Structures are given as C-alpha cells and as structure tokens.
Amino acid sequence: MLPSSRDWIFSLKTFCASMVALYIALRLELPRPYWAMASVYIVSNPFVGATTSKAMYRTLGTLLGAAASIALVPPLVEAPYLLSLAVALWVGIMLYLAIADRTARSYTFMLAAYTLPLIAFPTVSNPATVFDVAVSRAEEIVLGIVCASIVNTVILPSKLAPVLAERTAAWFRDAAFYAAETLAGRPGGNEMSACSQRMAATINGLEVLLSQLSYDHTRPEVVRQARELRGRMSLLMPVISSLADPLHAFRGSQAPAQKVMTGIVDKISEWIELTRRYPGEHTDHDVKQSAEQLRAELGQLEPTPEALRAWEGALFSSMLWRLRLLIDLWQDCVTLQHMIAEDKVAWWTPQFCHWRLGGVERFLDRGIMLFSTVTAAGAVLLACALWIESGWQDGAAAASVAAIGVCFFAALDDPAPQLFRTFIAAALSVVVAGLYLFVILPNAHDFAMLVIWFAVPFICVGTLIPQPRFALMAVLTAVNTANFISLQSAYDANFQTYINSNLAAVIGVLFAYLWTRVTRPFGAELAARRLIRSSWQDLVAAASPHPLEEQRNMAARMLDRLIQLLPRLASTDTPQHPSIDSFRDMRAGLNALDLQVEREKVQPPLRAAIDRVLAGVQQHFLNCIEHDRREEPPAALLGAIDTALGDTVSVSTADTALDLMYALVALRLSVFPNRPPPLLSNSALQS
C-alpha cells in the first residue's frame, strides 16, 4: 500500500521536471506558464518509452488541434452555433480515430479532439487572439513535454523491457493455473473465470506497452520477440480450452486408454508448472529436452489406423494432437519470455506453426464506437448551447472542460464512474488551489520559496501516479491544482476571478458526468452482448469460402474479440459460465475455418459432406442472430458432422484426412459438448 522507492524516485523526477518547465516559462514570460507545469504531470510515466511516446503524440495532437482552432474560429466566430457544430464534429471525428487505434498513437487524436475547444472557446470573445493563444499553448505544452522527456531519460531512466518480463511472468502464473485446472477436468468456476479475465486483461494491456517499446531504445529484435510472444499468448487460452470438452468426453467413455491418458496429461500439467517459473533452474535447453520427451511419449500413444475408425480412437488421436499443440505453443512462449527477460538476441525456431498465424486484423465494434463519439459530440454541442443561451462569461471554461471529460473516457464501457472521480478530484483541486492562492503564495517572495511550498504536496501526490489504483486521481489532482492556481510572473489573486473560473471547470466536469450517466447507462453488459452477437456473425462468415489470407485475418479477429470479451464477463461459480460458451463459439469458428482449408485437399464426395456441415453451421448461427439468443443446435447439424466424420475415418489415414478428422471432432464437441458419441464403426480402441 505504501509507495516504493521507485515511486518516490519517479515523483521526485517529475516534480523537478515540472519546476524546470515552470521556471523557464516564467523567465520567457509565456502567458500561461502553469500549462507547462501541468503538461509535465500529464505526460510523465515511470518508464522512458511510455513518456517519450506520449510526449511525441501529445505534441502532434496539440499542434493539430491548435491548427484547427486557427482555421475555424475567425471565419465562424460570428455564427456561434455553426462554430459549436464544427467543433463538435471535429471532436467526434478525432475521438473516433482515437478509439479505433489501440496503440499509443491514439493519444495524438485524443489530444487533437479536445485541444480545439480548449483553445477555441476562450477566444470567441476576442477572435483576433486565437493565433497567439494557439501558439502560446503549443509553446507551453512542448516546453513541459521536453522537460519531462529529458529528465526522465537522463536521471535514473527506467526501461520497459523488465516490466514486460514481470507482466508476462505474472501471466504465466495464471496460464499455468488455467492449464492445470482444465487438464484436471475443472474448466469452470469463479477462480477459472477470474483467471481467464486476468489473462485477457494482461494481453490487452500489452498492446499499448509493445507500441511504446520502440521508443524505449529497445533493440528491434526484442520488440519482434515481444510481438511474437503476445501473439502466442493470445492463442494459448483457446488451445488450452479446446482440451476441456475432449478430455471430459474421453473420461466419460470408459475407454481402456483412459489411465494412460491421465498419466500423460498429469505429466504435461507438471511440466507447464515447472517451466513457467522464471528465474529458475529451467534453461531453454531443459525446456526443449522435456518438450521433446513429452512429444515422443505422445507419439507412442497414437492409435492404429483401425482404431481411428471408432469414435474413441478418433477422439483419442484428436486429444493427442491438441496436447502436442499445447506443448509446442507453451515451449515457444517460455523460450520467448526467457529471451526477453535476459535481454538476449538468439536464433529462435518456432515449434508452433499453423496456418492461423499471420493474421493482423483486430475486431472493432464500430457501432459502439460511433455511439460513443456521437454522444461526446452531443455533449460538446449542448454545453455550447447552454453557454450561448445563458450568456455566462465563464461558460467557455465549463464547455472546454466538459469536452475534455467526455473525450478522455469515451472508450470505456461505462465512463460515468471515472467522470465522477474526476469531479471529486476537480473539487479537491479547487480547495487546494484556494489555499495556495490566498494563504501560501502571498508568503512566497521568490522562485526558490515557491518550489519549497510546492514540494511536499506535489511530491506526495506524484508517488501515487505509478500505482494503477490511484493514478487517475493523482494525475488529475496535480494537473488541476496547477491549472487552478494559474500561476503568473507576478502575484495577482482575485477571489471573484478564482471562484468564477474554477467553479466553471467543476461545473463542466459535473455536466460531463450527468450527460454520460443519461446517454450511456448500459455498462459492459451491452458491449458483451454485442461482442457475442458479432462472434455469431463471424461464425456465419467462417462457414463461407474465403481466400486463405482472409481466413487468417478472420481467425485473428475472432481471437481479438474473445480477448476483449472475457474481461467484460462477470465471474461466477455456475458451471455454464458465459466465457465457456464464448470459448466454444470461437472454437467452432476456428474449426469451420479449418474445414475450409482442408476442403480444398479432399476428393469431391468428401467435399460435399464438408459442405453440408458448413451449411449447417451457417444456419445454426443465423438462427441465433435472428432470435438474438443462443439457440439449441439442430439435430440435422449433428447428423451432418457424424456423416462427414464417418466418411473421413473410412477413406484413409493420410495427414489430410487426419487434419479433417481433428477439425470435425473438435467442431462436434464445440457445438454438441454433451451429446452421446457417434457410432462410426464396430472397431474400438484397444490400447
């Protein structure tokens, strides 16, 4: 709970950078030197790469917003509603681009979105000053950014690569638990759903972190390794979950090989737990040797061609294949994580090679994105209308702050709680700023005394910024306090001006909170329902022919959607957890894509059987979409799968037929997890 030494060092560096920026701004007699001080706290991050990338993108966004204000204010100032509409449209467009980009680059569009109202609204009473205000804001913000970047880079810099190793190590702990519970036949429950949510949240967070690595002076090889690791981490959960239904079905079949399967599964689970520990005794060579030994044991268990013609044999072979995938994928993940943790560049040969790798498409819920940006633009427009109609002199500040509030949290499923915290932080900052303006600053006669008076509260607040629980409130308190004090070269505090301007800012945040509470009351439930529905739409598309590259992108989109969905599902102890159904949906989609790939390799009679299966998959999920709920799959689809499976095991045991068999077995278990096994032939698995 208490700040660590690293937190204190970060806070001291940030405070020093803010004081340097404030001193330079005062010496240069910039109009609003407090903007430079506030900018330091906005862009500062405990890590060099994050600070540098944020600084660069904030600079670009500020310049873009400043240019837009210069272009829009002079010609439209005589038509206030038209100007308000133009600003609202700009905010909506920039905000849409920001939400669509899930890397650090999105900060550029976010800054451009709210920089325009921040410059434009205060200058409408005197449009001739808009150029000067835009230039001065750009100068002051760039000054703060440069100071923060230099101090963070020169004084005890912290690198992102060790943090990446720490976060992946925590993810490996969760992954080992998830694998152990799944292989032991316990795929549901509160702990498992919470574990999958943590794993998905970590993978989501890595996307921004990886986009900042290149700004951290990290070698390109390490960046590539990190991207390879994240891609395989996102695949690991579906691969592990794909073993839950086959293991359950096999254990319920009373097959003679059940004891053998239990033994090898326990070995794999133990190997995963041992090799995930890092640092430790397990080198990459040890991991490779133990993985090869496990693969050899799995190869010795492969059923005979005759045994494959029975359901138990096909199921057993399918499980062995999926266990090999798990071993390959886990070995790749562990090897990459070790290389990143040791910061070494070595030749790496991937073990997991599959056609699904290589897709780059991400899932974007454009409907939610459009709704979020339209409501944000509506808030700006309404705030401007209230300001114009009321004739409130300080309404410009309220409208500007309202625009910042709705922009900053627009990407969240439920922005209202964060906006309420922002309101509390703003109110607290008004009180602190008042104490400084009317009690403390009259006694500060030079800059050194000013630094002393600022030191204790700003350094203490700064120690909370690196801690995710307090980061938002800490940054807002520091930034708002600096802005509300409105420090100038000479002391000139007017109580009426202080009350009017700062009260306007608090009212702006309150307006943003109330508007968001009214227009976006849905929370994560709506986003989760839309994600599930869109997954059904992709399942329908997966059952249709597509080029291989499009299939790779479709598989990548399915995985990305699942990673977005899991953190939105509440944890529960019920066996039929929504996350389990979502995993099954995604596996059904990936298996349908596998069938599309294998379909091109088989003879026409078998191709016709596959087409009937794909048509059944299409119809089932079209039915789910039409009724907007998960429907019971039709018996005709089960019959089509069993027919195609029977035809597949009867033709040959070539690799193509085996891959097709694996896809059909997995599809049957995904869509019909609790149905009795099919009678493929009179053969039975003997050993």
Side-chain angles (χ1 to χ4, degrees), residues 307-329:
L308 287 175
R309 297 182 180 179
W311 167 250
E312 290 84 359
L315 179 62
F316 189 64
S317 180
S318 176
M319 281 190 296
L320 295 177
W321 178 70
R322 294 191 179 280
L323 287 171
R324 282 193 291 271
L325 288 182
L326 174 58
I327 292 169
D328 293 345
L329 193 53

Side-chain angles (χ1 to χ4, degrees), residues 27-68:
R27 287 297 297 241
L28 295 177
E29 297 184 354
L30 297 179
R32 297 170 183 81
Y34 50 89
W35 276 358
M37 178 182 175
S39 293
V40 172
Y41 278 93
I42 292 174
V43 302
S44 289
N45 189 282
F47 307 105
V48 173
T51 300
T52 304
S53 65
K54 198 172 183 181
M56 186 186 75
Y57 292 132
R58 182 175 176 82
T59 301
L60 292 175
T62 300
L63 294 176
L64 189 59

Side-chain angles (χ1 to χ4, degrees), residues 400-601:
S400 301
V401 173
I404 295 173
V406 293
C407 287
F408 210 72
F409 304 109
L412 300 180
D413 292 332
D414 186 9
Q418 295 286 27
L419 279 168
F420 186 74
R421 294 186 184 97
T422 304
F423 170 71
I424 298 298
L428 177 63
S429 297
V430 169
V431 175
V432 174
L435 289 174
Y436 266 94
L437 273 174
F438 302 107
V439 179
I440 297 174
L441 291 185
N443 300 312
H445 303 295
D446 53 27
F447 189 78
M449 186 64 69
L450 183 70
V451 172
I452 293 172
W453 283 116
F454 276 162
V456 174
F458 277 92
I459 290 175
C460 290
V461 169
T463 61
L464 302 178
I465 294 176
Q467 303 183 44
R469 292 168 296 173
F470 311 119
L472 175 66
M473 289 289 289
V475 170
L476 290 174
T477 300
V479 171
N480 288 335
T481 301
N483 284 332
F484 292 164
I485 292 175
S486 301
L487 196 65
Q488 300 291 338
S489 300
Y491 177 77
D492 181 21
N494 182 285
F495 186 77
Q496 185 176 357
T497 303
Y498 157 78
I499 287 293
N500 288 339
S501 60
N502 292 341
L503 186 61
V506 174
I507 290 174
V509 179
L510 181 61
F511 170 82
Y513 165 72
L514 295 174
W515 171 264
T516 303
R517 179 61 74 189
V518 171
T519 59
R520 298 185 60 182
F522 315 109
E525 294 81 4
L526 175 64
R529 287 201 305 271
R530 288 181 59 85
L531 287 169
I532 292 172
R533 183 180 175 85
S534 67
S535 71
W536 295 340
Q537 293 169 343
D538 261 1
L539 280 162
V540 173
S544 307
H546 292 92
L548 182 59
E549 188 59 35
E550 190 172 341
Q551 291 176 354
R552 286 196 181 100
N553 282 326
M554 197 176 296
R557 189 169 65 244
M558 289 179 181
L559 288 168
D560 185 62
R561 183 193 293 107
L562 181 69
I563 297 300
Q564 293 183 50
L565 174 63
L566 290 176
R568 292 178 163 99
L569 298 175
S571 300
T572 177
D573 279 321
T574 57
Q576 295 300 321
H577 190 261
S579 64
I580 297 177
D581 289 331
S582 299
F583 271 116
R584 286 194 176 118
D585 287 346
M586 190 207 61
R587 292 201 301 270
L590 295 178
N591 292 322
L593 291 174
D594 287 337
L595 290 179
Q596 295 282 7
V597 172
E598 301 304 324
R599 179 187 178 279
E600 304 302 319
K601 305 175 184 178

Side-chain angles (χ1 to χ4, degrees), residues 262-465:
T262 302
I264 190 66
V265 164
D266 290 343
K267 280 187 180 180
I268 293 173
S269 184
E270 182 181 356
W271 172 72
I272 288 174
E273 173 59 30
L274 289 174
T275 53
R276 68 95 180 159
R277 296 175 183 170
Y278 189 86
E281 315 83 39
H282 300 280
T283 64
D284 293 339
H285 179 70
D286 296 334
V287 173
K288 182 178 179 181
Q289 267 195 329
S290 54
E292 289 175 350
Q293 184 178 350
L294 287 170
R295 290 190 199 97
E297 291 186 36
L298 290 174
Q300 294 171 359
L301 298 176
E302 193 63 46
T304 63
E306 292 77 18
L308 287 175
R309 297 182 180 179
W311 167 250
E312 290 84 359
L315 179 62
F316 189 64
S317 180
S318 176
M319 281 190 296
L320 295 177
W321 178 70
R322 294 191 179 280
L323 287 171
R324 282 193 291 271
L325 288 182
L326 174 58
I327 292 169
D328 293 345
L329 193 53
W330 185 262
Q331 181 184 343
D332 283 355
C333 288
V334 170
T335 303
L336 287 167
Q337 200 262 351
H338 286 189
M339 292 169 69
I340 293 169
E342 296 171 359
D343 193 23
K344 70 178 182 181
V345 178
W347 181 258
W348 172 67
T349 303
Q351 292 295 320
F352 182 84
C353 300
H354 197 277
W355 70 263
R356 294 174 192 159
L357 288 174
V360 296
E361 190 171 336
R362 296 290 181 261
F363 173 76
L364 298 173
D365 189 337
R366 299 193 182 276
I368 287 286
M369 290 167 53
L370 185 61
F371 180 77
S372 301
T373 54
V374 167
T375 54
V380 174
L381 198 58
L382 180 60
C384 290
L386 294 174
W387 165 35
I388 294 167
E389 292 300 323
S390 66
W392 183 22
Q393 185 177 356
D394 292 300
S400 301
V401 173
I404 295 173
V406 293
C407 287
F408 210 72
F409 304 109
L412 300 180
D413 292 332
D414 186 9
Q418 295 286 27
L419 279 168
F420 186 74
R421 294 186 184 97
T422 304
F423 170 71
I424 298 298
L428 177 63
S429 297
V430 169
V431 175
V432 174
L435 289 174
Y436 266 94
L437 273 174
F438 302 107
V439 179
I440 297 174
L441 291 185
N443 300 312
H445 303 295
D446 53 27
F447 189 78
M449 186 64 69
L450 183 70
V451 172
I452 293 172
W453 283 116
F454 276 162
V456 174
F458 277 92
I459 290 175
C460 290
V461 169
T463 61
L464 302 178
I465 294 176

